Amino acid sequence: MSEAQLKNLGAERSRSLEEIFEQRIANDQKIEPKDWMPEKYRKTHIRQISQHAHSEIVGMLPEGNWITRAPSLRRKVALLAKVQDEAGHGLYLYSACETLGISRNELYEQLHSGKAKYSSIFNYPTVTWADMGAIGWLVDGAAIINQVPLCNTSYGPYARAMIRVCKEESFHQRQGFEIMMTLCNGTEVQKQMAQDALNRWWWPSLMMLGPTDAESVHTAQSMKWKLKRKTNDELRQQFIDQTVPQADILGLTVPDPDLKWNEETGHYDFGEIDWDEFWQVVKGHGPCNKERMNARVGAWEEGTWVRDAAMAYAEKQQIKKENSAKAV
Amino acid sequence: MKTTLYNYILELADNCLIAGQRLGELCGHGPSLETDIACTNISLDLFGQTRSYFQYAADIKGEGATEDSIAFLRYEREYKNVLLVEQPNRDFAYTVARQYLFDVFHLLLLEKLQFSQDMTLSAIAKKSIKEVSYHVRFTGDWIKRLGDGTEESYAKMQAAIDGLWTYTNELFEVTEDAKVLAEEGIAIDVSTLKDAYYEKVTSLLEEATLTVPESNYFQKGGKAGIHTEHMGYLLADMQYMQRAYPNMKW
């Protein structure tokens, strides 16, 4: 075969691979780690899954901040279990990401260098106990809206990880709502604490659903690959429609003077999001960005000697095992 | 109220409470995701055990006492945990050493306590044995990894063991309350656990290529409510919400 013929054949083969791939996605078949996939699909998934994993890990910090101060043993135990679940979610997601041919250490490196992002919400401080309720109720609530569609996403390992993640997240959300409920049924001071938490977490939670459709650079491609089923704005509307009645049940006021039920559309109309604040936080200049990164990088660097020791020990044990096998 | 039994329950539970509190501080700051999960898990187990003990103690105390009033509303001089468990997380070696030195004792204690004539204590012990067997395996494995790992980890592990050794002997001190209840087959005479304890610990330290400290100078006081200076800060943190917002439901 001539070089030109070979080239042709190669192009034909990759075209047909691409066609098979797209056909499979169209048929709702899962893509598995050993299957052929376009490089862009692989990269997009590494970006999204790792960003998700990093969010779980950084997300341990704002809640971990209240473990030692939780007001009752019952709440302390629930909070510990929740943060432990989050670490577990981080683990599944890093594993899912590793099936795409990147190592966990590389992923950490991207997080620590600031190359990879994590959810902007975790750059807000947890200043009172009520924030544990607001995070569960609002932040986990918004996360679920984002994540439930991912249980059906085209990449198998991610979809399977999300099934487990979503189950635990809904449990956390109920727990968060229950904390808010207890505060709202409590004393005047507790109720104020709950209202203050809602005031501080409402807008950042809406921002979790991402920039508006007009600004979102990845939406079109992600919809094609079923990484996304609805646009950011649709998901945000769904979150608001679902959450406002819950605020009513709590007897709390959503901090948006423009929020109003719209009979015609069957949705809530709401006020303008402060996108300058969103971009400021995303670019690394939110209230806690530096502290969160310092905590993560600090833990990693201070832990180096521990990880080195574990490696050295494992090697020694391996050598011992080989030597005793030889002796037999 | 059965004061003796109440006091004895505090003696058992305060160790779990304070050890759990120390581990809880580390959440999100560990050397790896796996150790983070493990430390949180152990902390969670210990708080679970604390709740079982304090619910029982609250029943005995009456007068509207709850697991939370017992956990959060005592003064520093009323906590009966041993000094060992209140020691700070100076580094991962300290954390692991503190927990291991407690876990070995804890497991030996529970293995006896499951046969207590007090059915509630016996039931709590039976449930806790499963958890504490896991704790001792985790911390013991890490002592070996760090002791027999690199030069640096060896030095840090040895320093932690040397630093904490002085608090081990208090584990075997028998309080008046325990003595009375031991005669009724309810409490455990912890002095009987001492030989088995040092044997276990010594053998693991040797396996980890570490040196067993030879010091005969020991500290005590925790069981009598005389704590180290670390304890006040720990309690200020732990009790903050209940002190700042008294008499509320959370």
Side-chain angles (χ1 to χ4, degrees), chain B residues 1-69:
Chain B
M1 168 173 111
K2 295 181 263 180
T3 311
T4 318
L5 182 57
Y6 176 77
N7 285 339
Y8 182 62
I9 297 170
L10 297 187
E11 189 182 321
L12 294 168
D14 283 351
N15 285 337
C16 301
L17 174 69
I18 303 301
Q21 183 73 5
R22 277 296 186 221
L23 287 176
E25 290 170 12
L26 291 170
C27 187
H29 304 280
S32 68
L33 197 45
E34 287 80 355
T35 50
D36 246 341
I37 294 179
C39 289
T40 317
N41 194 34
I42 296 174
S43 174
L44 182 58
D45 287 344
L46 290 169
F47 281 120
Q49 294 169 21
T50 305
R51 291 188 69 193
S52 305
Y53 284 123
F54 282 171
Q55 283 162 12
Y56 185 33
D59 280 349
I60 293 170
K61 189 161 195 250
E63 304 162 24
T66 64
E67 60 178 60
D68 290 326
S69 69

Side-chain angles (χ1 to χ4, degrees), chain A residues 145-200:
Chain A
I145 296 247
N146 255 333
Q147 292 171 8
V148 163
L150 292 171
C151 297
N152 270 318
T153 188
S154 60
Y155 188 55
Y158 193 25
R160 289 189 289 274
M162 289 319 298
I163 290 172
R164 185 139 172 213
V165 168
C166 283
K167 256 185 223 161
E168 291 177 346
E169 293 289 5
S170 354
F171 177 67
H172 298 161
Q173 198 212 1
R174 278 205 301 279
Q175 236 170 26
F177 187 75
E178 205 228 30
I179 290 178
M180 294 303 275
M181 189 69 123
T182 310
L183 294 174
C184 291
N185 290 332
T187 62
E188 198 43 46
V189 183
Q190 284 174 302
K191 195 160 180 190
Q192 277 169 15
M193 196 190 272
Q195 180 65 57
D196 171 60
L198 172 58
N199 294 348
R200 285 180 290 107

Side-chain angles (χ1 to χ4, degrees), chain A residues 272-289:
Chain A
E272 192 63 38
I273 289 173
D274 181 351
W275 291 111
D276 289 342
E277 177 183 321
F278 174 76
W279 291 112
Q280 182 178 337
V281 177
V282 169
K283 285 176 183 155
H285 306 288
C288 295
N289 295 60

Side-chain angles (χ1 to χ4, degrees), chain A residues 57 68-69 71-73 75-77 80 83-84 87 104 182 187 190 193 296 305-307 309 313 316, chain B residues 21 27-28 31 33-34 37 40-41 44 47 68 142 148-149 152-153 237-238 241-242 245 248-250:
Chain A
I57 302 314
T68 61
R69 290 176 293 168
S72 73
L73 288 175
R75 293 296 182 201
K76 198 191 278 279
V77 164
L80 274 162
V83 181
Q84 200 184 330
R104 213 208 291 181
T182 310
T187 62
Q190 284 174 302
M193 196 190 272
R296 283 316 311 159
W305 68 272
V306 176
R307 296 189 306 274
Y313 179 80
K316 284 184 200 175
Chain B
Q21 183 73 5
C27 187
L33 197 45
E34 287 80 355
I37 294 179
T40 317
N41 194 34
L44 182 58
F47 281 120
D68 290 326
W142 271 105
D148 195 12
E152 185 186 10
S153 70
D237 197 29
M238 187 176 84
M241 286 298 289
Q242 288 273 343
Y245 305 91
M248 298 182 199
K249 277 210 177 74
W250 298 96

Side-chain angles (χ1 to χ4, degrees), chain A residues 11 46 77 92 102 106 140 172 225 238 244 280 297 304:
Chain A
I46 290 179
V77 164
Y92 314 147
I102 188 165
E106 286 173 86
D140 293 335
H172 298 161
W225 287 333
Q238 186 187 334
V244 172
Q280 182 178 337
V297 175
T304 304

Side-chain angles (χ1 to χ4, degrees), chain A residues 195-218:
Chain A
Q195 180 65 57
D196 171 60
L198 172 58
N199 294 348
R200 285 180 290 107
W201 290 93
W202 174 254
W203 293 103
S205 301
L206 297 189
M207 294 176 196
M208 276 177 77
L209 296 145
T212 53
D213 295 348
E215 298 261 335
S216 175
V217 285
H218 302 296

